Amino acid sequence: DVQASRVFVDCCRFSRLAGTPAPEAIAEMLNVYFDAITTATTFYRGTIDKYMGDCAMIVFGVPEKDDEHLFHGLCCAVMIQRMVERLNEFRRARGHTTVEFRIGINSGAMLAGNLGSRDRMQYTVVGDAVNLASRLSNMAGAGEIIAASAIMEDPNIGSRVRATEYGAMRVRGRQEPVGTFRVDGVHALSETLMEQRIAQFLAEISAEADRESS
């Protein structure tokens, strides 16, 4: 087992502003948001485990060792939601379809390695900590990040994250409910660096849109 952090990003709501978009338009739109998710993941040294439909699964701490994997995972989650907010403003102004995401994050012991059949192997992480991250994303509302309270009790994390107690969740196989927090932000310096990268990303998106319309 390795200590790592897992972030589940799940698309939970489409806003159709200009009728019902064609499947090709949905795929093109999701790719724009996935570009934002990939940008945030790379910025915080994470790895996209996989995209599955309209869900992204991200891991921190493996395969690249990172002693700050939990904080980087939390920063990445915040950055994704901030990027989605700004991207939605950009797209709404142009009458384009927008989406919102819900995010769950957890950290702990995970089994990491190449799993699958002899014909198809894939590097991934599995375990109770991974499953809980998925359940936390299902608990979150649109635009929210939900984390297990145990990770917020780490003094190295709690002092650098702004969070609000969210409630308890019953989890199959556990006698006691799991406490949760809604993550609202991280400390100011990290948010400043984050905003600079978001502005750069949006400038690139805007320049590309201008080229396509000219």
Side-chain angles (χ1 to χ4, degrees):
D1 286 359
V2 296
Q3 292 293 317
S5 296
R6 180 76 150 182
V7 175
F8 272 83
V9 185
D10 186 27
C11 175
C12 62
R13 189 162 66 198
F14 287 82
S15 296
R16 296 179 173 88
L17 301 183
T20 303
E24 296 82 5
I26 290 288
E28 184 179 342
M29 174 202 64
L30 283 174
N31 285 339
V32 173
Y33 287 92
F34 287 160
D35 279 346
I37 290 169
T38 300
T39 296
T41 300
T42 302
F43 195 64
Y44 286 107
R45 298 176 58 189
T47 299
I48 301 288
D49 184 344
K50 62 178 72 75
Y51 287 115
M52 193 164 63
D54 54 11
C55 176
M57 305 173 199
I58 310 168
V59 64
F60 296 81
V62 291
E64 178 188 354
K65 182 174 170 55
D66 178 8
D67 292 336
E68 285 274 36
H69 59 83
L70 176 51
F71 183 62
H72 286 157
L74 289 160
C75 286
C76 178
V78 171
M79 185 172 177
I80 289 170
Q81 294 293 34
R82 299 279 165 80
M83 291 179 91
V84 169
E85 288 174 12
R86 302 276 290 281
L87 199 48
N88 282 348
E89 290 172 7
F90 177 85
R91 291 179 63 84
R92 273 194 294 267
R94 289 158 177 77
H96 294 163
T97 303
T98 62
V99 298
E100 291 184 86
F101 291 87
R102 55 188 181 186
I103 298 178
I105 179 170
N106 193 36
S107 188
M110 301 176 189
L111 173 64
N114 291 310
L115 301 176
S117 68
R118 285 180 296 177
D119 296 330
R120 183 180 174 88
M121 300 291 286
Q122 183 175 17
Y123 188 91
T124 190
V125 292
V126 295
D128 287 342
V130 175
N131 296 338
L132 181 55
S134 176
R135 291 177 180 272
L136 291 169
S137 73
N138 292 333
M139 184 181 187
E144 291 184 333
I145 303 161
I146 302 301
S149 58
I151 68 177
M152 302 304 300
E153 292 162 4
D154 181 340
N156 187 44
I157 295 300
S159 62
R160 295 189 286 171
V161 175
R162 291 183 286 108
T164 305
E165 196 165 351
Y166 196 77
M169 176 179 65
R170 288 279 179 187
V171 177
R172 186 183 304 167
R174 299 192 184 201
Q175 290 187 332
E176 297 297 321
V178 174
T180 65
F181 278 81
R182 186 188 69 224
V183 178
D184 301 315
V186 292
H187 67 51
L189 177 59
S190 291
E191 294 226 1
T192 298
L193 296 172
M194 184 187 300
E195 285 296 328
Q196 291 172 354
R197 184 63 184 93
I198 292 172
Q200 180 185 345
F201 175 82
L202 289 169
E204 293 164 0
I205 290 290
S206 181
E208 185 177 343
D210 289 343
R211 284 194 301 270
E212 290 176 354
S213 62
S214 61

